[in-house]
Amino acid sequence: MHVPELTSLLELTQDGLAQLLASWGQPRYRADQIWEWLYRKLAADPAGMTNLPKELRERLIVTTRADPLDLIYQQRSSDGQTIKWLFRLPDGLTIETVLMLYDERRTVCISTQAGCSMGCVFCATGQTGLARNLTSGEIVAQVLAAERRMIAPSDRQPKTDDGIPAVGSRSSSVGRRLTNIVVMGMGEPLANYDRTWAALRRISDPDAFGLGARHTTLSTVGLPQGIRKMADEPLQINLAVSLHAPNDELRTQLVPVNHRYPIAEVMAAVKDYIGRTHRRVTFEYALMNGINDTPALARQLAGLLKGVLCHVNLIPLNPIAESPYQPSSPENAAAFQKILEVNRVPATMRMRRGIDIDAGCGQLRRRVSGGG
Ligand code: SAH
Ligand code: SF4
């Protein structure tokens, strides 16, 4: 039997939704009402769109999908402040989304691809290869899912209940909106540029979700064309670049795409970006014991970044199973940070929150699917 494809409502622009409704003989204001249900009232199911006529609701239920994400697993850190979800997409692939509730911030970390083709040696996602790009609707849906859990934590309980109280039930976060979005989940966002940006525009659009672009940060492995293209976007989101090593020999070992886009090309694109946007760029540097954390490498990094409008985010590595790469000791990490600061390169150490729940990118999926 032929099963007709469902139209995914989150793939549509506001005009696209209006066109669909017009083709059903519905007036424009019905499209506006549905748009409001999707992005303001966070409806995951057309059955709850109570101001629509019954026949229209039924048509939506039968022919469309309002939420492409099926929650199949949830993990919460022991302090309750980090919640990680594994979602199944309509074609059966799985992706991760993480909600972090601390430092007065309520941040969701979203994925842009199922897997990743970049193969960074320390990254769980990098070990699996790329299955496919996510659609813009699948990217937006992660933000809506997180917001839904913030506002109504008991809604849509996960199928695998871990027995820990609902999100935020022990904190003051319940009923408050997300404050930040980081595009740092699975995948390389600039390798899925158009869909990622379509999603980010929708998220920041005051007529849709309406979260200010300045509260969004996109992290890239360092694709120069994508970085330059970002400089031309009217939307002012923050850029983070995953550097992890100050010279090509070491960086190519850790981040294989460096072979194609060596540090000089990445830095040229970043400087171009800063020149055009006047925005401070973050460099991410995962500290790995005995690999990239020596004082000599700290000095080399300081030399590379001297005078650049930037900030270094040092993150002790979140080790993946059976990996030779391990986090730096706290002493080495502190010494590394000190050398950067003495050389006037601003650097902060980001704590490994949620370490007890495989909070590193791609780690939950690997564990649930038995991959490591
Ligand atoms: N592909 C993009 C965004 C997703 S990864 C990128 O690489 O920037 C988000 C960040 O997590 C990157 O800085 C990445 O290098 C880092 N990361 C990946 N695996 C990690 C691990 N095991 N421990 C610490 N950071 C990790
Ligand atoms: Fe891909 Fe980023 Fe992981 Fe590298 S660190 S494999 S670019 S997701």
Side-chain angles (χ1 to χ4, degrees), residues 245-252 258 263 297 300 304:
N247 64 66
D248 283 326
E249 198 193 343
L250 180 59
R251 191 164 188 267
T252 300
N258 188 72
I263 292 174
L297 289 170
Q300 202 177 11
L304 180 70

Side-chain angles (χ1 to χ4, degrees), residues 113 115-127 184-189 219-221 242 244 255 257 361:
Q113 299 182 309
C116 182
S117 66
M118 301 295 158
C120 302
V121 295
F122 49 85
C123 170
T125 308
Q127 310 315 300
M184 291 189 187
M186 297 169 69
E188 169 47 43
S219 173
T220 173
V221 73
S242 300
H244 304 313
V255 179
V257 74
C361 154

Side-chain angles (χ1 to χ4, degrees), residues 18-138:
Q19 276 166 24
L20 176 71
L21 271 288
S23 75
W24 292 358
Q26 295 285 339
R28 167 82 202 203
Y29 75 92
R30 291 289 181 213
D32 295 339
Q33 285 176 318
I34 296 169
W35 190 260
E36 194 182 354
W37 276 110
L38 294 173
Y39 293 103
R40 292 276 168 193
K41 300 182 186 160
L42 308 170
D45 182 355
M49 300 182 180
T50 45
N51 58 357
L52 303 181
K54 190 157 171 276
E55 309 79 66
L56 178 54
R57 254 182 289 158
E58 273 164 9
R59 186 159 189 181
L60 287 167
I61 292 166
V62 173
T63 64
T64 72
R65 176 187 293 120
D67 182 7
L69 305 180
D70 188 13
L71 182 59
I72 54 172
Y73 199 81
Q74 168 173 289
Q75 259 188 332
R76 219 171 323 209
S77 61
S78 44
D79 63 8
Q81 292 185 308
T82 307
I83 301 100
K84 187 157 187 161
W85 294 304
L86 191 68
F87 288 117
R88 187 169 37 225
L89 305 173
D91 60 1
L93 292 169
T94 54
I95 56 161
E96 296 180 5
T97 304
V98 183
L99 180 62
M100 295 166 280
L101 308 168
Y102 42 73
D103 300 340
E104 287 304 304
R105 290 179 179 204
R106 297 173 294 280
T107 304
V108 64
C109 175
I110 58 175
S111 295
T112 54
Q113 299 182 309
C116 182
S117 66
M118 301 295 158
C120 302
V121 295
F122 49 85
C123 170
T125 308
Q127 310 315 300
T128 64
L130 176 67
R132 69 167 169 85
N133 285 323
L134 299 192
T135 65
S136 56
E138 288 164 344

Side-chain angles (χ1 to χ4, degrees), residues 251-274:
R251 191 164 188 267
T252 300
Q253 277 175 37
L254 301 174
V255 179
V257 74
N258 188 72
H259 187 66
R260 214 157 119 215
Y261 302 114
I263 292 174
E265 283 187 36
V266 178
M267 289 306 296
V270 168
K271 286 177 187 170
D272 205 30
Y273 174 93
I274 295 169

Side-chain angles (χ1 to χ4, degrees), residues 39-40 140 143 177 181 196-216 234-237:
Y39 293 103
R40 292 276 168 193
V140 168
V143 175
R177 291 200 66 177
I181 296 174
T196 297
W197 276 86
L200 294 177
R201 284 186 206 105
R202 191 107 42 85
I203 290 162
S204 72
D205 181 353
D207 284 338
F209 189 71
L211 191 129
R214 285 174 189 277
H215 300 277
T216 299
L235 211 58
Q236 305 254 297
I237 75 165

Side-chain angles (χ1 to χ4, degrees), residues 129-256:
L130 176 67
R132 69 167 169 85
N133 285 323
L134 299 192
T135 65
S136 56
E138 288 164 344
I139 299 169
V140 168
Q142 296 170 67
V143 175
L144 299 182
E147 181 85 342
R148 225 172 262 139
R149 289 289 285 181
M150 293 293 311
I151 285 171
S154 59
D155 180 37
R156 266 168 58 96
Q157 280 296 328
K159 288 174 190 131
T160 311
D161 201 331
D162 55 14
I164 303 174
V167 175
S169 61
R170 279 178 288 163
S171 73
S172 57
S173 297
V174 174
R176 297 172 69 187
R177 291 200 66 177
L178 289 172
T179 60
N180 293 76
I181 296 174
V182 291
V183 187
M184 291 189 187
M186 297 169 69
E188 169 47 43
L190 299 187
N192 185 18
Y193 192 99
D194 292 342
R195 296 179 192 87
T196 297
W197 276 86
L200 294 177
R201 284 186 206 105
R202 191 107 42 85
I203 290 162
S204 72
D205 181 353
D207 284 338
F209 189 71
L211 191 129
R214 285 174 189 277
H215 300 277
T216 299
T217 301
L218 181 149
S219 173
T220 173
V221 73
L223 303 183
Q225 299 96 317
I227 291 171
R228 289 204 164 86
K229 210 167 159 189
M230 269 182 74
D232 292 329
E233 296 285 350
L235 211 58
Q236 305 254 297
I237 75 165
N238 304 300
L239 171 65
V241 177
S242 300
L243 197 55
H244 304 313
N247 64 66
D248 283 326
E249 198 193 343
L250 180 59
R251 191 164 188 267
T252 300
Q253 277 175 37
L254 301 174
V255 179

